[in-house]
């Protein structure tokens, strides 16, 4: 589905509006929550409404989305408002259908698909913007990576565009103050040691700055098939399968960008598909083999249901890099 049915604009301002019909349920929180390139403080999510901030070629924009009856209503404000609305069908995966893919597979997966009919695999279209948070997530917990990205956004980003029309659409008297992520050119000017106070070690800092300096070349890859993009990204020193797969999942909606190297995911997948409490990457890939072409979709579907394998190991304690 493309285009902007019902689109309108008030002459002389940067407010854009549009609406799209839905042919089935949609869960905005589950769909947009998996797009790590939109980590807080650049998003606000609910099951039926969302506030999303982005900065792309035409400038920063804040996008408000709400499910009303059988439609998605949208309002976008800022210099990039028109581009933000044009990207809505891709962002929320309007044409993405997963349930029928799994009806012929094991009953457990079919049940999961039926439980998460509102989940879609959308895509931001912003490859470098997906890579930066992914780099911060290397070898640390999600909480640590989230903290580093949030602090970078607060110090190096800018205030997101705002307009009363967003409050009206979302039915909220007061919305949170959100931020536009740092521009690649801003990150490219940093020295790796400057990132230390954000909890980023030297190796991740060097990689983040290096990727920011190549952002234009990286973003040009979005026209290629996702598998080719993953291969190209992995030719960059410091970018392995996990980082490349995170980036193509977020930016391209890559349904086969299977994650390996994650601490808990193999056991989670094995528990969901085979009721096995422990598994490694090899066993996970074996279980996912029947779903070739949709392995990332299966992983994400399982994750979205909050299924967890029983845990026995002691919890990892974050290393306080910023205070060292």
């Amino acid at each position: 589905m493309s285009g902007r049915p019902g689109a309108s604009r008030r002459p002389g301002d940067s407010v854009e509006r549009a609406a799209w019909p839905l042919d089935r349920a949609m869960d905005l929180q589950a769909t947009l929550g998996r797009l790590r390139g939109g980590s807080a403080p650049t998003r606000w999510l609910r099951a039926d409404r969302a506030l999303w901030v982005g900065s792309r070629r035409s400038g920063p924009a804040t996008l408000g989305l709400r499910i009303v009856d059988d439609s998605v209503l949208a309002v976008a404000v800022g210099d990039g408002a028109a581009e933000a609305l044009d990207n809505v069908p891709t962002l929320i995966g309007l044409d993405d259908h997963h349930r029928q893919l799994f009806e012929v597979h094991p009953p457990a997966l079919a049940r999961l698909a039926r439980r998460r009919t509102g989940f879609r695999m959308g895509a931001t279209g912003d490859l470098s913007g997906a890579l930066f948070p992914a780099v911060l997530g290397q070898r640390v917990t999600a909480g640590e990576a989230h903290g580093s990205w949030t602090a970078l956004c607060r110090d190096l980003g800018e205030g997101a565009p705002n307009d009363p029309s967003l409050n009206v659409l979302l039915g909220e008297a007061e919305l949170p103050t959100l931020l536009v992520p740092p521009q690649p050119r801003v990150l490219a000017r940093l020295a790796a040691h400057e990132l230390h106070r954000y909890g980023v070690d030297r190796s991740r800092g060097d990689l983040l700055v290096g990727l920011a300096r190549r952002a234009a070349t990286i973003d040009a890859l979005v026209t290629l098939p996702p598998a080719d993009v993953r291969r190209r990204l992995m030719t960059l020193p410091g970018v392995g399968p996990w980082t490349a797969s995170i980036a193509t999942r977020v930016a391209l909606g890559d349904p086969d960008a299977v994650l390996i190297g994650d601490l808990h995911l193999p056991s989670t997948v094995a528990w969901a598909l085979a009721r096995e409490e422990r598994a490694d990457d090899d066993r996970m890939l074996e279980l996912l083999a029947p779903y070739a072409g949709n392995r990332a979709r299966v992983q994400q579907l399982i994750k979205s249901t909050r299924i967890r394998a029983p845990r026995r190991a002691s919890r990892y304690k974050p290393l306080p890099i910023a205070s060292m």
Side-chain angles (χ1 to χ4, degrees):
M1 184 180 295
S2 60
R4 283 190 273 151
S8 65
R9 180 172 181 170
R10 294 199 301 257
D13 70 13
S14 59
V15 177
E16 299 262 356
R17 296 172 174 79
W20 290 264
L22 291 174
D23 60 358
R24 62 187 173 92
M26 169 167 285
D27 185 335
L28 287 177
Q29 188 172 34
T31 297
L32 296 178
R34 56 163 287 275
L35 299 178
R36 291 174 53 161
S39 297
T42 63
R43 68 184 185 188
W44 174 87
L45 302 176
R46 298 289 184 271
D48 65 341
R49 64 196 73 188
L51 199 62
W52 186 271
V53 177
S55 181
R56 312 245 335 259
R57 290 177 294 276
S58 55
T62 303
L63 176 69
L65 298 165
R66 187 173 183 181
I67 308 297
V68 177
D69 297 326
D70 295 324
S71 296
V72 178
L73 308 183
V75 169
V77 300
D79 293 341
E83 184 182 16
L85 279 196
D86 286 340
N87 191 52
V88 165
T90 301
L91 179 69
I92 62 176
L94 281 184
D95 289 336
D96 184 59
H97 296 270
H98 69 262
R99 179 174 168 180
Q100 56 268 48
L101 295 172
F102 306 126
E103 290 294 348
V104 297
H105 289 290
L109 191 56
R111 285 195 297 271
L112 291 180
R114 286 193 292 271
R115 282 170 55 189
R116 304 302 286 177
T117 55
F119 163 72
R120 322 255 184 135
M121 284 196 71
T124 66
D126 182 2
L127 189 57
S128 63
L131 266 176
F132 301 147
V135 167
L136 295 180
Q138 293 180 344
R139 302 182 303 279
V140 299
T141 65
E144 291 172 281
H146 172 83
S148 296
W149 184 241
T150 296
L152 281 167
C153 288
R154 286 175 178 161
D155 287 357
L156 305 177
E158 58 183 284
N162 203 353
D163 187 274
S165 59
L166 295 170
N167 298 69
V168 173
L169 173 77
L170 298 174
E172 299 285 336
E174 185 175 357
L175 289 168
T177 300
L178 300 183
L179 298 172
V180 178
Q183 292 290 326
R185 65 177 180 274
V186 174
L187 296 174
R189 291 196 296 264
L190 295 174
H193 71 268
E194 294 178 89
L195 289 164
H196 191 269
R197 65 191 179 97
Y198 297 101
V200 182
D201 60 78
R202 182 62 181 265
S203 63
R204 286 183 296 148
D206 284 336
L207 179 55
L208 181 69
V209 172
L211 292 175
R213 291 172 179 169
R214 300 183 181 191
T217 301
I218 289 170
D219 286 334
L221 298 177
V222 298
T223 59
L224 300 176
D228 291 343
V229 175
R230 275 186 270 123
R231 283 192 288 269
R232 296 282 190 95
L233 290 177
M234 286 189 290
T235 65
L236 300 173
V239 177
W242 185 88
T243 305
S245 290
I246 286 287
T248 59
R249 276 189 180 199
V250 171
L252 307 178
D254 185 351
D256 202 44
V258 62
L259 289 186
I260 58 175
D262 189 281
L263 181 61
H264 299 296
L265 189 57
S267 296
T268 300
V269 171
W271 181 251
L273 297 182
R275 273 301 184 260
E276 298 173 5
E277 292 189 10
R278 295 291 176 268
D280 56 14
D281 282 334
D282 288 340
R283 176 54 177 158
M284 178 180 67
L285 291 174
E286 182 182 351
L287 290 170
L288 291 174
Y291 312 104
N294 281 285
R295 294 176 299 171
R297 192 189 301 274
V298 175
Q299 284 184 323
Q300 194 63 48
L301 184 63
I302 291 170
K303 191 172 181 180
S304 74
T305 62
R306 302 188 183 278
I307 290 174
R308 297 289 184 272
R311 293 185 182 179
R312 297 172 184 166
S314 59
R315 289 187 176 273
Y316 163 81
K317 295 182 179 180
L319 189 64
I321 294 172
S323 62
M324 295 174 63

